[in-house]
Structure formats: structure tokens, C-alpha cells
Amino acid sequence: MALVQKRPYPETSKTLQIENLEPPKKKIKIQLKGSERSFAALLKRLESTSSSNETLQILTEISDTPNFYDLSLDAVKFLVNMFRKEKDFIRVKILYLMSDFAIDHTIDACSLLEDILILMKSEESSKVICQSFNSIFNIGQSGQVIAQAVYLRIIEFAKQKLSSSNYNVQRHAIRIIGAFASREDAEKELMLLVSHYMDSPDARTRAQAINSILCMGNRAIQLSQSLYSRVEKHLKDDYECVRKEALQLVFEISQRHPEFTVKLQDNDNEMRIRLIDDAFGKVCSAISDLSMQVRAQAAELLGQMKLVNNEFLFQTLDKKLMSNMRRKKTSHERAFENFTSGEWSSGRKWADDAPQELINTESISLIDSGACGALVQGLEDEFLEVRMASVNSMCNLSLNNPPFAEISLDFLVDMFNDEIEDVRLQAIYSLTKISEHIILREDQLEIMLGSLEDYSVEVREGLHLMLGACRVSTRACLTLVVQKLLDVLSKYPQDKLSAYGCMNKVGSKHPELCMSLTPQLIQDHPFFDSAEKDVEDPAYVCVLIMLFNAAKNMPPMLSLFPDIILKHYAYLRDTMPNFVPYLPVRNQTEMTLVGTTGSQQFLRTLLSNIEATYFIKTARQSLLQAAQENLGRLASIDPELSGTANFTRDYLGAELLMEQLQINLMTHRVPSKESLNQLINKCLRLQNLFNNLTPEDHMLVKQICVRASALNLVLVVKDKSQSALLPCQLLLHVASDVLEFLKQNPNLSTDLFTKSILSYLETVSDPKPGRVSRGILPVVQSSNYLPNSLSLNFNIKMCTARIIEPDEAMSNENVIKVTAGLIAALPIHAEIEQLQECQRENLRIKIKYPDQNIHVVMPRLRDLKRIIGENGSEMLNSWRLRTNILLSHGIWTEPSQVDISICLSVKPSNELELCKPVKVIFSPKPIRKGI
């Protein structure tokens, strides 16, 4: 370790004392217990109020209080009686409170609804009636079971209020009918009743009527075809809210009755068309709506209409360009003709590329073009949301229609030049998804490869992923891809891993083209030997990876490789086996594993041997120690079973530590704090780092946590050198967690040890550390309980991380130099696997300096993004972290190593490392004085 001088800037290197955070949290918990207030006390204050404003203030205080320990239906009755005496705004607040009681305090919903219905019998204020409908709706959404008779009374009350002259009351009544109508009532009467208000003079009422019909349809209630002719008129409504609801209802009806035929409008020949095709044209027309929200909604719905006729589907990409009443070809059409003919305009003849097709002026209609050019118009929209939705829809339609995918390819390629990065990324991922249906031409590749120089690393990696998934048509295309990728790699060397993966896929998909380009790519002269290239050069490695993967599918390519290439193959095969496949090269043998079956049998045999040695303590402990080493090796060589192997290793490690600590307890030896910390750390790893656990696995983990926390409390109390309050609270928390889990899984049972601990804790009224420790001491000292036997679950996955940048091999050569007291930004690039969505906010970066000073940094959530898979979709629980960390310290006499690792914070004082630390060389230098 480097010698460290006295630091002149103590504020930059203070040790983070995480333990100091514990006492405030204990105080917060005590305050939370005291946050429960008496509802009766507030009612007494309400009785003595002298003004309406004071009453409103107390009611607001009630709504802001989260917990009441004495809230009951009798207390609610007081508010019901007060309702009849107060003014309108007080009555509105009381109704609001009644809905809160059902949602937050789980007061019986049926009783509250009956009280509201009784209060509303003689109510005349429209504001109060509207609030009553809101409260009824919120209570209905609280999840409580409501009797059918109450439902019927609510529907009758809403039907009565439909005759109100107040449009706001009508709107709320229609909302209640749509939310509470049963299937039988809706099919008979209520659907017709609600549809009548689609023609209401008030726009909000029209929108709510359509929305209520949609709510009924979402509950499997029949949507009649007759509604289609009525709702399509509202697609041209003056109000945006009505058009949005009408557009959604048109879509839903078309999905329910796609083959039903409707008559074309403004057609004297009685022509009929499929409902899905007509609805598709209506949705396409909404792309030209004045409202951005309607256009985005229409663009999104287009991608979900999968049963449309191809003639209508292709029209969405057929946008006519007019010039002097003549049809002008698009740039894509001209580029395609030039590509197929091999000729370009010479420029010698005037207007030799001018449009020649004449259009009759009388046949042009600019009023309603239907589906013509709808998606193209969406791609050219000025708003980001519309363009994103159009790209997604074009991708979804292309996945089920290969001819449409070929036509839409040019338009998706055009989106690579969009000014917004998210749109460019969406276009790239869309092309990746439809890569099976397309083959790239040279003119398209020129546009795509131009985006490889984008400043955004996500765009560049997305293009690498897309190029690896797509196929190219000619040798010239493949040469263009390789040359451009190598040129950009020299500009952005940090993209080498992504480039390796791209060349891996390119070689596998184009073995014939790669074989024809092999002499050119490796620069092999037929008569003269060329100089040996550097096998560490990323550009050279990219070419070799592509050729080796092509040779896997084209074995004759091996005869084209000179001896030096074969030597380089042996080196690359050992250093990066995930990119370089096995090839049948002479003097090369491939080591194969036994396979998944052999690994599973090894795990079963290992556990059976451990269970057989339960009564032989010395042999058991040595076997547990050896088993942990073997399981660690198994996890490193068999990725499929790494999660199960690590889970078993941590479980056995916790059992070994508990047996050793129990021996210390029986022999009256004081255990080390390090052993206790290791035991707690093992339990935290079992609780937080593993996914796909069965209920039985969760039960095993919780039981071993009970044993560990009980043993920890007894040893801490016996030691008397530290406070036992936190270990006691930990045991109580773990025990309550087990009880709650048993309530959710009544089929599970606990072992004898856990049952004894839980039964004792239930009898303790005042759980103080000393009393709890004395009560559980006989249970902990007894060794009559058997350890829990593991039932192997081979689907377990473990949360792990891999730091890509900084690379430890390169970091040893590059020293980070900074003036002492100032900061240096170090870029971090890491991949995290099996990280749950709920754990994102717990991700941390741990920085450990040579003087044991530790800083824990929380990365920004926007720097953590999902990894995109080979099919262009997001991978589940796989994340990529790109961020910068700040390094700072006082003066050091010489450069020293700083450890950087990715951790998961599970407690204020516990960080579980997800990977091995990466070491970087850091050198704070003294301040230079002026010349």
C-alpha cells in the first residue's frame, strides 16, 4: 500500500460513518407508532366549532391524518348526521372523507354506500351530487366486495339523475353507469340508455358517454355493430376529448366485428366494405387531426389493427407527390430504379429525370384521402410523440406482413436522420425486430452507416445490434459495412465489445460473402508473405471474429487461412470464447463439459453427503467448507446453474457459520464481530440477490434468518460490549415477516426451531432485549433441531454485475492524475443481470480508497437503462449503467489503487457487492506553484 501523507484537505476524505444513521431511524419508527391519532378527539372538536371555516379546517386535518386507531362505523355516523346541517362545501368535504375511509381505513364499503345513497335522496345541490358520484366511484374501486343489491341501488340512483338539467351531473351519472353496470343489465337497457347521450349538446357528456361504453366493452359486454355508424360521426367532432374517445371506440368495435360489412359513404352503387378496413381508413384519417394527442393515438392504434386487407395497408405508405399537376416520383423510387438499372442521370440532357406521368386534374381529390400516405405523414409529423407512435406501428404491422416490411424499409431508414435521439433509436430497434423479412441494399446502407458516427453511444450500439441481425445483398454491401465499422471503431475505441458482437453475427449470417472476401480482408498475397499483424488491434480482431464465425458455417474457408491466422485463432479462442466459435483446426481439441445433467447430479450428490454427516460434526464442517469451494467453481463454469449453485453455497455457508457460533456459545467463548457480520451478510444475500425462488425456498430463507437473528441476539447479550437493542428489533422484524408469509401461504409449515421462537415471542408483552434473550436461550442452545434440507430449484437466478469500463488491464497502464483536493471524473460502464425493477433505486457504486475510506455513490436513474436484445426488444431484468463517478483525495506520495465495485444497498449499513472490485490507479498531486 502506498504511503499517504497528512492530508491538507480533510473535508474531501472524511470517512462515511453509516452507523450514525441508525439512531435517527429508531426515533422515526417510534414517531410512526405515535402517528396514530384518536378520531373521537377530533369529533369533539367538531362539536364545539363556531364557524364553517373552522369545521372545514378540522375536516381537512382528518383527511390529512393517515391512521386512526378508533375509527369505526359509529364515528362515521356522526359525520352523516352533521352532513344534514352544514353548507354545500362542508357536505362536499364530508363525502370526500367517506371515500377515503373505504380506501385508506377499510371501513365497510356497503355501509358507506348506503349512507351516501340515503343522504342523496333529498339533495338538490349539483356540486354535492357530483361529489357523491365521485365518492361512490372511488369506493367501488377500493377492491372491497359490494353486494349486488347495493349495485342495483347505485344504478337506479344514477338513472334518476340523468334527467338533471346540469350537464356535469349527467356526466358523473353516466360514468357511474359505465363503471357499475353488470353484463345482463348493460346488454338489455343500459347500453342503449348511455348511447343516447352520445348526441348530447355538451362535449364532456358526449365524451363520457363514449368512455362509459368503452368501459362496458372492456368487461366483456357486447358492443353492437350498430354503434359503429353512430360513433364514426364523432371522429369529426369539434372537441378533442370527444374525438379521442370516439377513435378508441371505433377501434374496439372493429376488433370485435372485423368481418362485418358496412356501406361506403357517398357511394351510389351500394358498395360494401369490411368493418375492419373501413375503421382502418377512419383511423388513418385521424393522422391529419389538428390535435397532437389525437394524431399520436391514431398512429398507435394503426399498429394494433392486424386483420386489415393488404390493399389498404399498402396505401399508408403510398404518398403521391405532385408537381405542376404531374405525379413526381419519390426519392426512394428514383434511388431504387437507379440501383436496379445501374444508371444515373448524366446531366447532358435537359430534364432527363423529369416526371413523365400525366394526371387528369379532374380526378384529383384533396378532401378525404383515407389511408393514403397516413403512416408517411405520421413519420413526418412535427411532434416527437406522433413520430414515435408511427415508427412503432410500422414495426408491428411489418412483423406479421413480410411484403409490407420490404416496402416500409425505406421509410424506417429515413428515420435514422431524425433530429431526436429517441426516434432514431426506435427506428433502429424496429429494423432489428423485422430483420428476418428484409435484405439491405447498398443505397440504404449508406444512410444507416452514416449514423454510426453518432455521438450517442446508445445509437452506435443499437446500430451494431441491427447490422448483426440484418442481411445484406452483395459483396459491396458487406465490404461497406466492414470498412465503415472499422473506421468508426478507430474514432470510438470504447465500442469494441459491441463491435465484436456485431461482427460475430455478420459472419454467421453471411458465410458465402465472407468466403469471397477472405483474401481481401486478411490481405493475403498469393506469392509474398505479409507482416504479422497485432492480435491486440481491435480492428484486426473484428475481421478475424467475422471470418471465424463464417468459417463455422463454411468449413472450406479454413483452407484460405494462413498459418499465422490459425495461431491467432487459438489465442482468440482462449481469450474470448463468447465471440470466437470452435473450429475443427488441426492440433486443436475442444474441452466439453459434462452438461447440465451432470451438474444437477453433482448438486444432488453433494447435498445428500452433507445431510448424511449431520451427526458427525467435524466431518460435517470440513465437508461444508469444501462444498462452498466446489459450488463456487461450478457457478463459474456452468452459467445455467450459477444461480442455484451460488444460492446453495450461501445457504450452506450460513449453516456453517451458525454451527461454529453455536459451538462458541456452548464453550462460553466470545465470538468475533466479523463472524456475526458474515452471518448477517449471508442472510441478506439469500434475501435480496436471488430471483425465481419458490415459496418453499422463501420459507427456508426466512427460517434460517430467524435462526441467525436469534443466535446473534443471544451472543450480543452475552458479550455485553455492545447494545442489543438493534439485534432484538431485527429478530422481532424477522419473526413478524415469517408470520405474515405463513398467512399468505397457509400450506407451508415451519421447523421446530422457528415454531418455538415464534410461539415464545407471541407470549412476550414487553419485548426487551434481555428478556427476549433469556427466553430464547434454551431453544438456541439445544441442538435437537435438524437443519433444513434444500429442495434443489434449478431455475434460480442471481443478481450479478460486470464492469466493462474501466478495464482493469488498461487501468494499470493509465494513471488518473489530479491536483489534490480537486475532482476527477471517471466513466463507468457496467452491465447488471437479474436486477428487479423495484431494486433500481438501491443500486450503488462503492469507492474504496487505500486508507480504507469508503464512499458509496447512488447513480442517477436515467443512467440505468434496459439492455436491448438481439430481437430489438428490451431484456427482462437486464440493465446497462453508464455514468461518471468523482474521485478526490488529499496528497499521496505515489500512485495507489482505488477499488470500484457495483453494490446493492439493502440497509443503511449493508451493501452487497455484485461483482469483484476493479482497481484503478489514482494519483493526487500537490498544487503546482506559478512559474
Side-chain angles (χ1 to χ4, degrees):
M1 182 181 296
L3 298 177
V4 182
Q5 293 182 354
K6 185 179 293 184
R7 297 183 293 273
Y9 300 94
E11 68 276 5
T12 62
S13 58
K14 287 184 179 179
T15 303
L16 187 61
Q17 297 293 338
I18 302 179
E19 290 78 10
N20 295 337
L21 298 177
E22 292 296 335
K25 290 207 168 183
K26 185 171 64 176
K27 291 180 181 179
I28 291 175
K29 289 183 179 180
I30 295 174
Q31 291 174 2
L32 285 175
K33 290 182 180 179
S35 64
E36 295 185 354
R37 301 182 60 184
S38 171
F39 189 75
L42 292 174
L43 292 184
K44 290 182 179 179
R45 292 174 56 190
L46 280 175
E47 292 177 352
S48 59
T49 56
S50 58
S51 64
S52 298
N53 290 334
E54 188 177 353
T55 303
L56 181 62
Q57 185 177 359
I58 297 176
L59 292 176
T60 304
E61 187 177 349
I62 293 175
S63 64
D64 294 340
T65 303
N67 297 314
F68 290 107
Y69 63 85
D70 57 348
L71 182 61
S72 62
L73 284 174
D74 294 335
V76 176
K77 294 296 182 183
F78 176 84
L79 294 179
V80 173
N81 295 330
M82 189 178 68
F83 179 91
R84 299 183 175 92
K85 308 173 186 178
E86 296 294 339
K87 298 180 180 180
D88 288 356
F89 64 93
I90 299 296
R91 299 206 298 274
V92 168
K93 187 64 178 179
I94 292 175
L95 290 171
Y96 177 81
L97 282 176
M98 295 179 74
S99 64
D100 281 353
F101 292 157
I103 298 173
D104 298 333
H105 304 282
T106 63
I107 298 296
D108 184 55
C110 291
S111 299
L112 291 173
L113 290 173
E114 289 177 354
D115 290 339
I116 293 175
L117 293 175
I118 293 173
L119 294 175
M120 289 300 106
K121 282 185 178 180
S122 59
E123 185 60 50
E124 297 180 357
S125 173
S126 59
K127 292 182 180 180
V128 178
I129 294 174
C130 290
Q131 180 58 47
S132 69
F133 281 130
N134 283 332
S135 298
I136 291 172
F137 180 82
N138 293 333
I139 294 173
Q141 300 297 320
S142 63
Q144 296 191 42
V145 179
I146 300 175
Q148 184 65 26
V150 178
Y151 273 120
L152 296 177
R153 290 181 60 189
I154 292 173
I155 295 296
E156 289 299 324
F157 170 62
K159 289 167 63 176
Q160 292 174 6
K161 297 303 178 182
L162 281 177
S163 59
S164 173
S165 59
N166 188 291
Y167 290 124
N168 204 21
V169 173
Q170 290 182 6
R171 180 171 63 89
H172 284 83
I174 293 171
R175 181 191 184 197
I176 290 295
I177 292 175
F180 286 82
S182 62
R183 183 171 182 177
E184 294 78 9
D185 294 334
E187 288 184 348
K188 295 177 182 178
E189 175 189 0
L190 294 182
M191 184 70 75
L192 294 175
L193 180 63
V194 173
S195 63
H196 173 73
Y197 288 88
M198 289 169 54
D199 301 324
S200 172
D202 183 67
R204 296 173 301 172
T205 306
R206 296 197 300 271
Q208 186 59 61
I210 300 174
N211 181 267
S212 296
I213 293 175
L214 279 170
C215 292
M216 297 178 190
N218 292 335
R219 295 202 303 272
I221 295 175
Q222 181 69 24
L223 293 178
S224 175
Q225 304 94 323
S226 61
L227 287 172
Y228 181 77
S229 59
R230 297 184 58 188
V231 75
E232 66 174 349
K233 299 183 299 183
H234 297 287
L235 293 174
K236 298 181 180 180
D237 196 277
D238 293 336
Y239 290 88
E240 173 190 336
C241 60
V242 181
R243 298 198 300 272
K244 289 178 64 176
E245 299 295 344
L247 193 64
Q248 188 67 37
L249 184 55
V250 165
F251 169 77
E252 291 293 338
I253 296 175
S254 67
Q255 297 300 108
R256 305 284 180 93
H257 311 282
E259 300 299 330
F260 184 78
T261 58
V262 296
K263 180 183 175 182
L264 283 175
Q265 294 182 355
D266 301 331
N267 195 308
D268 298 333
N269 297 327
E270 295 292 334
M271 293 185 61
R272 303 186 70 84
I273 188 175
R274 297 166 65 224
L275 193 149
I276 182 68
D277 294 334
D278 189 68
F280 186 77
K282 297 293 189 298
V283 176
C284 287
S285 299
I287 294 288
S288 305
D289 195 273
L290 295 176
S291 170
M292 182 273 291
Q293 286 83 3
V294 177
R295 297 201 301 273
Q297 181 187 9
E300 182 180 357
L301 292 177
L302 286 179
Q304 304 175 28
M305 306 179 77
K306 304 295 178 61
L307 303 176
V308 182
N309 195 312
N310 282 347
E311 296 179 0
F312 293 91
L313 194 60
F314 292 155
Q315 284 185 13
T316 59
L317 303 178
D318 185 16
K319 187 176 182 181
K320 301 291 190 301
L321 298 180
M322 310 300 295
S323 176
N324 196 18
M325 305 314 296
R326 294 182 178 183
R327 182 181 181 277
K328 188 175 179 64
K329 295 180 180 179
T330 64
S331 60
H332 295 303
E333 293 173 337
R334 296 196 300 271
F336 180 75
E337 290 181 359
N338 291 327
F339 174 75
T340 54
S341 64
E343 298 178 358
W344 298 88
S345 174
S346 63
R348 297 179 179 177
K349 183 179 179 182
W350 175 258
D352 59 353
D353 61 343
Q356 300 297 328
E357 182 182 352
L358 294 176
I359 302 295
N360 187 3
T361 57
E362 297 180 356
S363 64
I364 298 175
S365 175
L366 301 178
I367 299 175
D368 187 6
S369 58
C372 193
L375 281 177
V376 179
Q377 185 173 351
L379 295 176
E380 297 173 351
D381 196 274
E382 60 178 326
F383 286 95
L384 159 70
E385 293 82 359
V386 182
R387 300 201 300 274
M388 289 280 288
S390 300
V391 171
N392 287 332
S393 294
M394 191 174 289
C395 174
N396 293 333
L397 293 173
S398 300
L399 288 174
N400 301 318
N401 196 323
F404 183 81
E406 295 178 3
I407 300 176
S408 63
L409 174 59
D410 286 323
F411 299 96
L412 288 175
V413 171
D414 267 352
M415 301 308 293
F416 282 34
N417 296 324
D418 195 275
E419 59 183 357
I420 303 298
E421 179 182 335
D422 290 340
V423 179
R424 299 198 299 271
L425 279 172
Q426 195 61 46
I428 292 171
Y429 297 150
S430 297
L431 272 182
T432 306
K433 292 179 182 179
I434 64 174
S435 58
E436 298 180 357
H437 306 315
I438 59 176
I439 298 178
L440 302 180
R441 304 192 308 266
E442 186 173 353
D443 58 308
Q444 297 166 341
L445 276 173
E446 291 177 354
I447 301 176
M448 294 179 180
L449 297 177
S451 300
L452 269 177
E453 298 184 3
D454 196 292
Y455 177 76
S456 171
V457 62
E458 294 186 359
V459 173
R460 298 197 302 270
E461 290 190 352
L463 279 168
H464 290 159
L465 189 67
M466 186 213 66
L467 291 173
C470 295
R471 291 173 295 169
V472 298
S473 55
T474 61
R475 284 183 51 188
C477 293
L478 183 59
T479 304
L480 189 63
V481 170
V482 175
Q483 289 178 349
K484 188 64 177 179
L485 195 144
L486 298 183
D487 291 342
V488 175
L489 186 60
S490 62
K491 184 178 180 181
Y492 298 104
Q494 64 269 26
D495 294 349
K496 64 178 182 179
L497 291 179
S498 179
Y500 292 166
C502 174
M503 300 304 278
N504 181 0
K505 300 297 181 182
V506 169
S508 300
K509 289 183 177 294
H510 307 88
E512 296 85 0
L513 298 179
C514 290
M515 183 176 181
S516 63
L517 291 174
T518 298
Q520 174 185 343
L521 293 175
I522 63 177
Q523 298 180 1
D524 184 28
H525 197 275
F527 304 113
F528 302 103
D529 288 338
S530 57
E532 180 180 354
K533 294 187 177 181
D534 184 10
V535 74
E536 299 294 339
D537 181 15
Y540 178 60
V541 173
C542 279
V543 173
L544 292 186
I545 288 176
M546 184 183 71
L547 295 179
F548 292 152
N549 282 276
K552 180 182 179 181
N553 301 322
M554 188 67 66
M557 284 182 62
L558 296 175
S559 61
L560 302 177
F561 294 156
D563 293 339
I564 191 63
I565 298 294
L566 299 179
K567 293 179 180 179
H568 291 170
Y569 161 75
Y571 172 75
L572 295 176
R573 174 61 182 166
D574 292 337
T575 55
M576 48 181 69
N578 53 329
F579 295 124
V580 180
Y582 169 71
L583 297 177
V585 181
R586 60 182 182 274
N587 300 328
Q588 293 289 328
T589 58
E590 179 72 3
M591 299 296 294
T592 57
L593 298 174
V594 179
T596 305
T597 305
S599 301
Q600 295 178 0
Q601 183 61 37
F602 171 77
L603 283 173
R604 293 191 181 96
T605 305
L606 181 66
L607 292 181
S608 62
N609 293 337
I610 292 175
E611 292 179 2
T613 60
Y614 169 70
F615 294 103
I616 310 175
K617 296 296 182 182
T618 56
R620 175 179 171 80
Q621 292 188 10
S622 60
L623 185 59
L624 286 175
Q625 292 176 351
Q628 292 183 70
E629 298 178 1
N630 293 331
L631 289 171
R633 295 174 185 171
L634 177 63
S636 61
I637 64 177
D638 194 345
E640 294 295 327
L641 290 179
S642 61
T644 305
N646 284 316
F647 179 81
T648 308
R649 182 188 62 179
D650 289 342
Y651 186 88
L652 297 179
E655 282 196 343
L656 176 61
L657 284 172
M658 283 191 295
E659 291 184 5
Q660 293 174 349
L661 291 173
Q662 191 171 15
I663 293 175
N664 293 337
L665 179 64
M666 300 297 295
T667 57
H668 303 286
R669 287 184 295 178
V670 179
S672 63
K673 293 183 180 180
E674 183 180 356
S675 299
L676 291 175
N677 292 334
Q678 288 181 0
L679 178 60
I680 298 300
N681 185 267
K682 292 282 186 184
C683 294
L684 291 176
R685 286 173 59 87
L686 291 171
Q687 287 177 307
N688 297 279
L689 295 189
F690 297 95
N691 304 328
N692 298 340
L693 299 180
T694 62
E696 290 77 12
D697 296 331
H698 282 292
M699 194 70 244
L700 286 176
V701 172
K702 293 181 184 301
Q703 289 180 153
I704 202 170
C705 289
V706 171
R707 291 165 54 190
S709 55
L711 183 60
N712 181 35
L713 174 61
V714 171
L715 291 173
V716 169
V717 171
K718 185 179 181 181
D719 186 21
K720 298 182 180 179
S721 63
Q722 54 182 323
S723 174
L725 183 59
L726 289 179
C728 181
Q729 291 181 350
L730 176 63
L731 175 61
L732 296 175
H733 174 73
V734 172
S736 63
D737 186 31
V738 173
L739 291 174
E740 184 66 25
F741 186 76
L742 289 174
K743 291 180 181 178
Q744 299 174 359
N745 300 273
N747 297 329
L748 299 179
S749 60
T750 60
D751 57 13
L752 180 60
F753 181 90
T754 305
K755 188 179 298 183
S756 302
I757 295 292
L758 295 179
S759 60
Y760 171 76
L761 292 178
E762 289 179 352
T763 61
V764 179
S765 59
D766 186 13
K768 293 183 178 180
R771 182 180 302 175
V772 174
S773 175
R774 289 190 298 271
I776 65 174
L777 181 60
V779 182
V780 174
Q781 286 180 336
S782 65
S783 57
N784 297 328
Y785 64 92
L786 290 175
N788 299 311
S789 58
L790 275 171
S791 57
L792 288 176
N793 176 12
F794 298 111
N795 298 321
I796 298 177
K797 302 298 180 183
M798 181 181 178
C799 181
T800 57
R802 181 170 66 97
I803 298 179
I804 301 174
E805 185 182 358
D807 187 359
E808 188 168 350
M810 300 297 296
S811 299
N812 293 330
E813 302 176 1
N814 302 326
V815 180
I816 303 173
K817 298 180 180 180
V818 65
T819 301
L822 300 182
I823 57 176
L826 178 66
I828 296 291
H829 178 198
E831 292 182 354
I832 301 99
E833 298 290 340
Q834 300 300 323
L835 180 70
Q836 300 290 333
E837 180 74 30
C838 59
Q839 296 177 324
R840 290 178 58 198
E841 297 183 357
N842 298 331
L843 196 68
R844 300 290 186 270
I845 301 176
K846 187 176 181 180
I847 307 170
K848 185 178 181 181
Y849 291 97
D851 59 354
Q852 306 305 312
N853 187 8
I854 297 176
H855 289 178
V856 179
V857 181
M858 178 180 179
R860 297 177 298 183
L861 290 181
R862 66 181 183 182
D863 294 337
L864 188 65
K865 299 182 179 180
R866 292 187 184 273
I867 297 178
I868 304 299
E870 296 180 0
N871 58 352
S873 58
E874 295 178 346
M875 299 177 63
L876 183 64
N877 298 333
S878 297
W879 304 84
R880 175 174 283 110
L881 175 65
R882 280 194 178 91
T883 187
N884 290 328
I885 60 173
L886 304 180
L887 302 179
S888 179
H889 214 283
I891 299 175
W892 294 354
T893 56
E894 62 183 35
S896 299
Q897 292 180 342
V898 177
D899 293 345
I900 300 172
S901 59
I902 307 296
C903 305
L904 190 68
S905 176
V906 293
K907 284 186 177 181
S909 58
N910 294 95
E911 285 82 26
L912 305 178
E913 291 191 352
L914 303 181
C915 63
K916 293 182 178 179
V918 172
K919 302 181 183 296
V920 297
I921 308 299
F922 186 55
S923 177
K925 294 296 182 180
I927 300 175
R928 278 188 172 185
K929 296 182 179 180
I931 299 175

